[in-house]
Amino acid sequence: MATSGLLEIGESLVLQQRGVRLYDGDEKVKLEAGALLLSTHRLLWRDQKNHEYCIAIPLSQIVFIEEQAAGIGKSAKIVVHLHPTSSNKDLGPFQSSIYSYIKLSFKEHGQIEFYRRLSEEITQQRWENMPVSQSLQISKGAQAGRIRAVGIVGIERKLEEKRKETDKNISEAFEDLSKLMEKAKEMVELSKSIANKIKEKQGDITEDETIRFKSYLLSMGIANPVTRETYGSGTHYHMQLAKQLAGILQAPLEERGGIMSLTEVYCLVNRARGLELLSPEDLVNACKMLVSLKLPIRLCVFDSGVMVIELQSHNEEEMVASALETVSEKGSLTAEEFAKLVGMSVLLAKERLLLAEKMGHLCRDDSVEGLRFYPNLFMTQSE
Amino acid sequence: MHRRGVGAGAIAKKKLAEAKYKERGTVLAEDQLAQMSKQLDMFKTNLEEFASKHKQEIRKNPQFRVQFQDMCATIGVDPLASGKGFWSEMLGVGDFYYELGVQIIEVCLALKHRNGGLITLEELHQQVLKGRGKFAQDVSQDDLIRAIKKLKVLGSGFGIIPVGGTYLIQSVPAELNMDHTVVLQLAEKKGYVTVSEIRSSLKWEVERAKQVLFQWQLLGTIYIQSVLTGTLAERRHGLA
């Protein structure tokens, strides 16, 4: 039966497992893998893509279960045999399935444990002692002869109805979206026309007005039509952000030897925020302002395109000197080995070694085994 | 007729005319900015209304997200440009994609030692889903691609390489980016490729060809069959 999937009071969750596909008898059901939940009273399955779609089978409907081992290309399964339909059952909106069993296919493993716990629950029949609301009560045998099979086909029907309703909602949403986009388009046109005016009257627009215009573009997500540069760079928002970053990053930078890649910064800052996250462009645009705002950290770009934030006090050329010492001590090092020794990320370790190479202190050996750096003896020995 | 031509008076008059012209120009832009400000406020209201009705739909329905993104792109709007943009603030699309970006970075970092910074979109999808946990909002492959496109701007080498109907995601700056694509395309024709084929088709040196293939070994999506061909023991590098 289709259900909201919420546990009733008195019903406890025993075990859950993701990545489970349903089979009606031996036929795959037209649904993707879902999450399987075992409670003291029921077996629940929820579609992973559409959390509203949820099916429940009372444990009392289960006759017995068996295991099907995994094979080549096949996941391990549990076959759940259910009480069969009686011949004079009224069909109603539920078409009974020709099968009296369903299969659960464990695409992401977990079959062994699930089988064990399901067996336990069926044996212990804890639902007998834990009364729940009427909706879960199933005629257990009091009505002999009026036992229903829980066919998946009938459930699919119900889900299909639900899907149709959802579709209707979607087309309404789509209509509203189209109207919204029409208005957004007007904004884009207006911004283009303003941008053209600004271009023509170069110098007659005040600094203030330019900043205002840029912030409007930022709100709408429109690229600056004049400069084609990243929109919103140089707005008050990014200035504020830059100052915040200088504060937030001081300690982490010191902990990491004065340098961090921009991706590290992105993760660090957004993890800390939790909500109202920064877009990658927000971060880059803010960092571009660090130097002009005379803040104690700065943005640097390596030849490879790798972008880093450094403490002003950090001197990469000095670090190269100590890197050379380290490499010399060991004879030769790969970026990974160097990173481990020094306690840096491999990305930045590689950049430092590449810089050292560029400065002539190291030379490389690029082979199938990887990229290895050696002290440049041509430099030192020629002196 | 008394002609006013060159003279102090004429120059002064000209200057005055120019100044007035400039002034008008400034006033025109000011007007339009004021107009834009007003329209922005109106748009914000429209968006708020839309959000109150359909925010959940965007969150839960990947297809609707795709439609939304495509429509934005068509009219020249990038809803993911900034966390401060209206779209992000009111529809919550920003947080969705920016957080996904963090998760992608973390997965790629964790697996880099294993795959050299190259991962199939499918595997990335699996890993990200795992990391997000059971009750998190589902994400589609399209969502991943959009998040990765945004990450490129951070400069750490994120790239999307189309291959055989799907994509390889690169997360390290690699000089061999184009090399991989080209060799993959060669391999796709027969289902495998040999070092000598690469050399003859692409005119590369042995080491360069081997480098690409070695990285594929690490990738794991491609298995290597050893085939002895006459006197030359040459490996066939096949697509799994």
Side-chain angles (χ1 to χ4, degrees):
Chain A
M1 60 176 71
T3 174
S4 65
L6 297 171
L7 295 180
E8 301 286 322
I9 299 171
E11 182 186 12
S12 327
L13 182 65
V14 175
L15 182 64
Q16 48 191 347
Q17 177 59 48
R18 280 173 61 94
V20 179
R21 266 204 106 126
L22 291 181
Y23 287 67
D24 178 10
D26 283 309
E27 290 162 14
K28 263 190 212 169
V29 164
K30 280 197 269 351
L31 296 164
E32 300 289 289
L36 193 62
L37 290 92
L38 173 64
S39 81
T40 44
H41 292 65
R42 298 178 291 173
L43 190 61
L44 295 131
W45 181 90
R46 175 180 277 126
D47 190 329
Q48 236 155 253
K49 280 205 170 134
N50 243 305
H51 291 214
E52 317 240 302
Y53 301 164
C54 194
I55 306 169
I57 298 168
L59 295 183
S60 52
Q61 291 277 298
I62 299 175
V63 178
F64 76 98
I65 59 174
E66 39 178 353
E67 289 183 286
Q68 246 179 31
I72 303 173
K74 291 174 195 274
S75 312
K77 297 181 177 59
I78 296 179
V79 184
V80 182
H81 295 268
L82 303 160
H83 284 290
T85 10
S86 63
S87 50
N88 59 351
K89 168 80 190 68
D90 55 302
L91 293 177
F94 291 88
Q95 292 169 8
S96 44
S97 161
I98 56 166
Y99 299 106
S100 64
Y101 63 93
I102 64 166
K103 283 192 191 176
L104 310 167
S105 177
F106 289 76
K107 298 283 169 207
E108 285 177 27
H109 311 295
Q111 179 261 355
I112 298 168
E113 184 63 16
F114 210 93
Y115 181 82
R116 188 172 76 81
R117 306 298 288 276
L118 182 55
S119 305
E120 267 177 28
E121 292 303 320
I122 294 171
T123 314
Q124 287 175 10
Q125 300 194 345
R126 285 200 275 174
W127 65 82
E128 300 282 353
N129 310 322
M130 294 159 82
V132 292
S133 73
Q134 278 300 314
S135 60
L136 286 190
Q137 302 279 14
I138 301 295
S139 49
K140 283 167 290 196
Q143 301 158 311
R146 284 269 295 146
I147 314 161
R148 271 192 350 214
V150 183
I152 300 294
V153 175
I155 295 167
E156 253 189 326
R157 246 291 206 84
K158 198 119 210 257
L159 291 174
E160 185 60 44
E161 284 169 16
K162 232 185 173 183
R163 224 188 296 247
K164 286 211 179 105
E165 204 196 292
T166 314
D167 279 347
K168 192 168 77 78
N169 294 339
I170 290 178
S171 42
E172 193 201 313
F174 185 70
E175 254 185 66
D176 289 345
L177 180 64
S178 304
K179 289 192 196 134
L180 187 73
M181 287 300 164
E182 283 301 314
K183 304 211 170 78
K185 198 168 173 197
E186 286 169 24
M187 300 297 306
V188 176
E189 295 306 321
L190 182 56
S191 73
K192 280 192 190 149
S193 131
I194 296 178
N196 283 330
K197 287 251 154 45
I198 292 179
K199 195 155 67 156
E200 285 166 25
K201 320 261 178 245
Q202 210 48 264
D204 290 344
I205 301 298
T206 66
E207 177 84 19
D208 216 42
E209 284 166 345
T210 313
I211 292 181
R212 257 173 76 196
F213 182 52
K214 279 183 175 176
S215 74
Y216 296 160
L217 295 177
L218 180 74
S219 300
M220 285 299 301
I222 301 171
N224 190 326
V226 180
T227 60
R228 287 262 144 243
E229 66 177 358
T230 46
Y231 17 66
S233 60
T235 66
H236 290 301
Y237 170 61
H238 291 103
M239 273 205 299
Q240 264 185 324
L241 197 47
K243 292 178 189 162
Q244 276 176 28
L245 286 170
I248 300 169
L249 295 175
Q250 187 72 26
L253 279 169
E254 280 166 12
E255 283 165 31
R256 290 164 177 76
I259 185 170
M260 283 172 77
S261 72
L262 212 54
T263 34
E264 279 179 87
V265 173
Y266 177 78
C267 290
L268 190 101
V269 171
N270 275 340
R271 281 260 175 245
R273 291 183 90 149
L275 287 177
E276 289 180 20
L277 306 181
L278 300 183
S279 75
E281 277 151 285
D282 287 336
L283 182 61
V284 173
N285 288 331
C287 289
K288 283 181 178 170
M289 302 187 79
L290 290 170
V291 171
S292 62
L293 291 174
K294 305 219 180 356
L295 292 164
I297 63 177
R298 61 170 177 241
L299 176 70
C300 289
V301 187
F302 285 103
D303 288 346
S304 60
V306 170
M307 302 212 280
V308 294
I309 301 295
E310 293 178 349
L311 289 171
Q312 281 287 7
S313 54
H314 180 89
N315 186 332
E316 190 65 12
E317 278 76 15
E318 274 171 19
M319 311 308 307
V320 161
S322 85
L324 174 59
E325 266 182 52
T326 313
V327 175
S328 303
E329 269 173 47
K330 299 287 175 180
S332 73
L333 287 173
T334 63
E336 289 77 16
E337 290 163 356
F338 179 62
K340 230 184 187 163
L341 267 176
V342 177
M344 294 179 77
S345 73
V346 177
L347 180 78
L348 295 181
K350 189 168 185 196
E351 290 302 323
R352 186 164 293 170
L353 293 174
L354 286 172
L355 183 60
E357 183 194 25
K358 188 176 169 190
M359 288 166 69
H361 299 300
L362 295 176
C363 47
R364 67 167 61 192
D365 177 28
D366 211 343
S367 71
V368 200
E369 279 89 40
L371 178 58
R372 186 166 281 279
F373 290 90
Y374 292 80
N376 186 358
L377 297 173
F378 295 111
M379 274 270 280
T380 56
Q381 286 186 349
S382 59
E383 282 154 8
Chain B
M1 195 114 164
H2 212 354
R3 283 255 221 102
R4 289 281 170 142
V6 184
I11 296 171
K13 209 175 184 185
K14 190 159 181 252
K15 279 207 170 138
L16 187 62
E18 273 176 0
K20 279 207 167 144
Y21 177 68
K22 272 190 182 177
E23 206 184 86
R24 205 183 301 135
T26 316
V27 166
L28 270 175
E30 173 63 48
D31 272 348
Q32 283 207 295
L33 275 180
Q35 183 193 357
M36 186 164 187
S37 175
K38 251 204 303 196
Q39 272 193 252
L40 262 180
D41 283 338
M42 272 202 328
F43 182 80
K44 199 172 171 194
T45 314
N46 288 326
L47 185 54
E48 267 167 354
E49 211 192 304
F50 179 83
S52 68
K53 292 206 305 197
H54 303 297
K55 185 172 175 173
Q56 284 308 307
E57 201 58 54
I58 292 198
R59 213 174 65 84
K60 294 199 296 188
N61 189 334
Q63 284 97 332
F64 193 54
R65 270 203 295 285
V66 171
Q67 279 173 343
F68 167 73
Q69 295 273 21
D70 286 346
M71 290 182 100
C72 285
T74 307
I75 64 170
V77 158
D78 183 358
L80 300 182
S82 171
K84 203 77 169 90
F86 288 159
W87 309 97
S88 184
E89 285 185 339
M90 276 178 258
L91 290 178
V93 276
D95 278 7
F96 175 81
Y97 285 98
Y98 308 149
E99 191 188 6
L100 190 52
V102 172
Q103 289 162 349
I104 291 168
I105 291 171
E106 289 176 345
V107 165
C108 288
L109 197 62
L111 297 176
K112 191 162 73 171
H113 69 280
R114 227 201 323 129
N115 60 28
L118 274 178
I119 187 172
T120 59
L121 183 59
E122 282 73 26
E123 200 192 336
L124 179 63
H125 190 212
Q126 292 272 3
Q127 298 285 352
V128 166
L129 280 179
K130 239 191 245 175
R132 282 168 76 87
K134 304 178 212 287
F135 299 109
Q137 180 58 47
D138 194 12
V139 298
S140 65
Q141 287 187 359
D142 181 84
D143 292 328
L144 289 176
I145 295 283
R146 288 185 200 273
I148 294 167
K149 282 186 177 159
K150 284 290 149 196
L151 291 179
K152 281 188 184 195
V153 81
L154 295 175
S156 289
F158 269 94
I160 302 171
I161 306 167
V163 145
T166 178
Y167 298 97
L168 275 181
I169 307 302
Q170 178 192 345
S171 60
V172 291
E175 304 97 27
L176 292 179
N177 187 350
M178 278 312 295
D179 287 3
H180 280 99
T181 319
V182 157
V183 175
L184 271 167
Q185 284 164 353
L186 252 188
E188 269 188 301
K189 293 198 190 119
K190 283 194 267 183
Y192 64 85
V193 71
T194 60
V195 172
S196 60
E197 275 171 357
I198 297 175
R199 290 187 67 201
S200 61
S201 298
L202 304 175
K203 310 279 185 283
W204 286 2
E205 276 147 28
V206 177
E207 283 313 311
R208 187 177 172 189
K210 279 189 178 174
Q211 181 88 274
V212 172
L213 297 171
F214 187 68
Q215 285 204 309
W216 284 3
Q217 261 180 296
L218 298 174
L219 188 57
T221 59
I222 292 159
Y223 67 92
I224 296 187
Q225 288 172 316
S226 283
V227 174
L228 285 168
T229 56
T231 51
L232 262 176
E234 191 169 48
R235 277 153 155 230
R236 267 187 184 181
H237 302 272
L239 294 172

